[in-house]
PDB file of all heavy atoms in Angstrom:
ATOM      1  N   LEU X 373      -8.876   3.093  10.611  1.00 98.00           N
ATOM      2  CA  LEU X 373      -8.143   4.032  11.441  1.00 98.00           C
ATOM      3  C   LEU X 373      -9.115   5.268  11.719  1.00 98.00           C
ATOM      4  O   LEU X 373      -9.071   5.762  12.873  1.00 98.00           O
ATOM      5  CB  LEU X 373      -6.899   4.495  10.869  1.00 98.00           C
ATOM      6  CG  LEU X 373      -5.831   3.348  10.678  1.00 98.00           C
ATOM      7  CD1 LEU X 373      -4.633   3.878   9.879  1.00 98.00           C
ATOM      8  CD2 LEU X 373      -5.380   2.788  12.044  1.00 98.00           C
ATOM      9  N   PHE X 374      -9.821   5.626  10.704  1.00 98.00           N
ATOM     10  CA  PHE X 374     -10.770   6.831  10.920  1.00 98.00           C
ATOM     11  C   PHE X 374     -11.953   6.366  11.715  1.00 98.00           C
ATOM     12  O   PHE X 374     -12.445   7.162  12.603  1.00 98.00           O
ATOM     13  CB  PHE X 374     -11.202   7.320   9.555  1.00 98.00           C
ATOM     14  CG  PHE X 374     -10.341   8.290   8.873  1.00 98.00           C
ATOM     15  CD1 PHE X 374      -9.133   7.894   8.304  1.00 98.00           C
ATOM     16  CD2 PHE X 374     -10.601   9.638   8.921  1.00 98.00           C
ATOM     17  CE1 PHE X 374      -8.232   8.812   7.710  1.00 98.00           C
ATOM     18  CE2 PHE X 374      -9.734  10.593   8.352  1.00 98.00           C
ATOM     19  CZ  PHE X 374      -8.591  10.122   7.757  1.00 98.00           C
ATOM     20  N   ASP X 375     -12.425   5.142  11.516  1.00 98.00           N
ATOM     21  CA  ASP X 375     -13.614   4.616  12.338  1.00 98.00           C
ATOM     22  C   ASP X 375     -13.234   4.632  13.824  1.00 98.00           C
ATOM     23  O   ASP X 375     -14.098   5.001  14.680  1.00 98.00           O
ATOM     24  CB  ASP X 375     -13.966   3.268  11.913  1.00 98.00           C
ATOM     25  CG  ASP X 375     -14.760   3.193  10.659  1.00 98.00           C
ATOM     26  OD1 ASP X 375     -15.147   4.306  10.096  1.00 98.00           O
ATOM     27  OD2 ASP X 375     -14.914   2.095  10.030  1.00 98.00           O
ATOM     28  N   GLN X 376     -11.988   4.266  14.143  1.00 96.00           N
ATOM     29  CA  GLN X 376     -11.577   4.171  15.482  1.00 96.00           C
ATOM     30  C   GLN X 376     -11.342   5.601  16.070  1.00 96.00           C
ATOM     31  O   GLN X 376     -11.073   5.776  17.314  1.00 96.00           O
ATOM     32  CB  GLN X 376     -10.356   3.352  15.668  1.00 96.00           C
ATOM     33  CG  GLN X 376     -10.519   1.849  15.149  1.00 96.00           C
ATOM     34  CD  GLN X 376     -11.524   1.164  15.919  1.00 96.00           C
ATOM     35  OE1 GLN X 376     -11.601   1.173  17.129  1.00 96.00           O
ATOM     36  NE2 GLN X 376     -12.406   0.497  15.204  1.00 96.00           N
ATOM     37  N   ASP X 377     -11.303   6.566  15.190  1.00 97.00           N
ATOM     38  CA  ASP X 377     -10.995   7.972  15.560  1.00 97.00           C
ATOM     39  C   ASP X 377      -9.631   8.057  16.150  1.00 97.00           C
ATOM     40  O   ASP X 377      -9.360   8.859  17.034  1.00 97.00           O
ATOM     41  CB  ASP X 377     -12.067   8.516  16.575  1.00 97.00           C
ATOM     42  CG  ASP X 377     -12.098  10.098  16.640  1.00 97.00           C
ATOM     43  OD1 ASP X 377     -11.598  10.702  15.571  1.00 97.00           O
ATOM     44  OD2 ASP X 377     -12.373  10.614  17.658  1.00 97.00           O
ATOM     45  N   TRP X 378      -8.693   7.453  15.443  1.00 97.00           N
ATOM     46  CA  TRP X 378      -7.251   7.546  15.895  1.00 97.00           C
ATOM     47  C   TRP X 378      -6.484   8.500  15.120  1.00 97.00           C
ATOM     48  O   TRP X 378      -5.398   8.973  15.463  1.00 97.00           O
ATOM     49  CB  TRP X 378      -6.640   6.123  15.803  1.00 97.00           C
ATOM     50  CG  TRP X 378      -7.110   5.153  16.760  1.00 97.00           C
ATOM     51  CD1 TRP X 378      -7.829   5.382  17.886  1.00 97.00           C
ATOM     52  CD2 TRP X 378      -6.971   3.778  16.710  1.00 97.00           C
ATOM     53  NE1 TRP X 378      -8.199   4.190  18.554  1.00 97.00           N
ATOM     54  CE2 TRP X 378      -7.582   3.198  17.820  1.00 97.00           C
ATOM     55  CE3 TRP X 378      -6.369   2.808  15.777  1.00 97.00           C
ATOM     56  CZ2 TRP X 378      -7.614   1.794  18.104  1.00 97.00           C
ATOM     57  CZ3 TRP X 378      -6.369   1.471  15.999  1.00 97.00           C
ATOM     58  CH2 TRP X 378      -6.998   0.983  17.133  1.00 97.00           C
ATOM     59  N   VAL X 379      -7.011   8.900  13.898  1.00 98.00           N
ATOM     60  CA  VAL X 379      -6.170   9.786  13.015  1.00 98.00           C
ATOM     61  C   VAL X 379      -6.445  11.316  13.540  1.00 98.00           C
ATOM     62  O   VAL X 379      -7.574  11.735  13.491  1.00 98.00           O
ATOM     63  CB  VAL X 379      -6.662   9.691  11.569  1.00 98.00           C
ATOM     64  CG1 VAL X 379      -5.841  10.621  10.693  1.00 98.00           C
ATOM     65  CG2 VAL X 379      -6.480   8.250  11.097  1.00 98.00           C
ATOM     66  N   GLU X 380      -5.402  11.928  14.031  1.00 98.00           N
ATOM     67  CA  GLU X 380      -5.549  13.319  14.589  1.00 98.00           C
ATOM     68  C   GLU X 380      -5.149  14.230  13.519  1.00 98.00           C
ATOM     69  O   GLU X 380      -5.717  15.395  13.337  1.00 98.00           O
ATOM     70  CB  GLU X 380      -4.790  13.411  15.813  1.00 98.00           C
ATOM     71  CG  GLU X 380      -4.864  14.860  16.446  1.00 98.00           C
ATOM     72  CD  GLU X 380      -4.467  14.916  17.872  1.00 98.00           C
ATOM     73  OE1 GLU X 380      -3.886  13.890  18.365  1.00 98.00           O
ATOM     74  OE2 GLU X 380      -4.675  15.974  18.485  1.00 98.00           O
ATOM     75  N   ALA X 381      -4.028  13.994  12.860  1.00 98.00           N
ATOM     76  CA  ALA X 381      -3.482  14.933  11.896  1.00 98.00           C
ATOM     77  C   ALA X 381      -2.691  14.162  10.768  1.00 98.00           C
ATOM     78  O   ALA X 381      -2.163  13.096  10.992  1.00 98.00           O
ATOM     79  CB  ALA X 381      -2.544  15.877  12.589  1.00 98.00           C
ATOM     80  N   ILE X 382      -2.572  14.829   9.623  1.00 98.00           N
ATOM     81  CA  ILE X 382      -1.739  14.369   8.539  1.00 98.00           C
ATOM     82  C   ILE X 382      -1.044  15.671   8.053  1.00 98.00           C
ATOM     83  O   ILE X 382      -1.657  16.671   7.760  1.00 98.00           O
ATOM     84  CB  ILE X 382      -2.584  13.734   7.451  1.00 98.00           C
ATOM     85  CG1 ILE X 382      -3.300  12.487   7.941  1.00 98.00           C
ATOM     86  CG2 ILE X 382      -1.558  13.277   6.264  1.00 98.00           C
ATOM     87  CD1 ILE X 382      -4.167  11.770   6.915  1.00 98.00           C
ATOM     88  N   VAL X 383       0.319  15.594   7.913  1.00 97.00           N
ATOM     89  CA  VAL X 383       1.082  16.675   7.481  1.00 97.00           C
ATOM     90  C   VAL X 383       1.779  16.429   6.217  1.00 97.00           C
ATOM     91  O   VAL X 383       2.460  15.407   5.994  1.00 97.00           O
ATOM     92  CB  VAL X 383       2.166  16.976   8.577  1.00 97.00           C
ATOM     93  CG1 VAL X 383       2.953  18.250   8.164  1.00 97.00           C
ATOM     94  CG2 VAL X 383       1.617  17.111  10.000  1.00 97.00           C
ATOM     95  N   GLN X 384       1.545  17.293   5.218  1.00 96.00           N
ATOM     96  CA  GLN X 384       2.211  17.161   3.976  1.00 96.00           C
ATOM     97  C   GLN X 384       3.567  17.857   3.991  1.00 96.00           C
ATOM     98  O   GLN X 384       3.591  19.016   4.357  1.00 96.00           O
ATOM     99  CB  GLN X 384       1.405  17.777   2.812  1.00 96.00           C
ATOM    100  CG  GLN X 384       2.113  17.678   1.445  1.00 96.00           C
ATOM    101  CD  GLN X 384       1.198  18.119   0.340  1.00 96.00           C
ATOM    102  OE1 GLN X 384       0.103  17.722   0.131  1.00 96.00           O
ATOM    103  NE2 GLN X 384       1.665  19.091  -0.437  1.00 96.00           N
ATOM    104  N   MET X 385       4.608  17.146   3.769  1.00 93.00           N
ATOM    105  CA  MET X 385       5.988  17.640   3.794  1.00 93.00           C
ATOM    106  C   MET X 385       6.419  18.232   2.501  1.00 93.00           C
ATOM    107  O   MET X 385       5.834  17.917   1.449  1.00 93.00           O
ATOM    108  CB  MET X 385       6.951  16.563   4.309  1.00 93.00           C
ATOM    109  CG  MET X 385       6.488  15.893   5.572  1.00 93.00           C
ATOM    110  SD  MET X 385       6.505  17.011   6.957  1.00 93.00           S
ATOM    111  CE  MET X 385       8.256  17.131   7.183  1.00 93.00           C
ATOM    112  N   PRO X 386       7.469  19.034   2.434  1.00 92.00           N
ATOM    113  CA  PRO X 386       8.056  19.499   1.232  1.00 92.00           C
ATOM    114  C   PRO X 386       8.640  18.277   0.359  1.00 92.00           C
ATOM    115  O   PRO X 386       9.027  17.303   0.961  1.00 92.00           O
ATOM    116  CB  PRO X 386       9.156  20.456   1.596  1.00 92.00           C
ATOM    117  CG  PRO X 386       8.862  20.809   3.025  1.00 92.00           C
ATOM    118  CD  PRO X 386       8.216  19.588   3.578  1.00 92.00           C
ATOM    119  N   SER X 387       8.720  18.474  -0.904  1.00 87.00           N
ATOM    120  CA  SER X 387       9.426  17.518  -1.725  1.00 87.00           C
ATOM    121  C   SER X 387      10.888  17.662  -1.493  1.00 87.00           C
ATOM    122  O   SER X 387      11.338  18.633  -0.976  1.00 87.00           O
ATOM    123  CB  SER X 387       9.069  17.706  -3.187  1.00 87.00           C
ATOM    124  OG  SER X 387       9.406  18.942  -3.603  1.00 87.00           O
ATOM    125  N   ASP X 388      11.654  16.730  -2.070  1.00 82.00           N
ATOM    126  CA  ASP X 388      13.146  16.819  -1.947  1.00 82.00           C
ATOM    127  C   ASP X 388      13.682  16.906  -0.544  1.00 82.00           C
ATOM    128  O   ASP X 388      14.707  17.577  -0.330  1.00 82.00           O
ATOM    129  CB  ASP X 388      13.672  17.918  -2.845  1.00 82.00           C
ATOM    130  CG  ASP X 388      13.099  17.858  -4.257  1.00 82.00           C
ATOM    131  OD1 ASP X 388      13.377  16.790  -4.861  1.00 82.00           O
ATOM    132  OD2 ASP X 388      12.520  18.792  -4.772  1.00 82.00           O
TER     133      ASP X 388
END
Side-chain angles (χ1 to χ4, degrees):
L373 296 174
F374 276 75
D375 284 349
Q376 301 301 312
D377 198 26
W378 292 343
V379 182
E380 181 163 7
I382 301 175
V383 184
Q384 179 174 306
M385 307 296 287
S387 61
D388 303 304

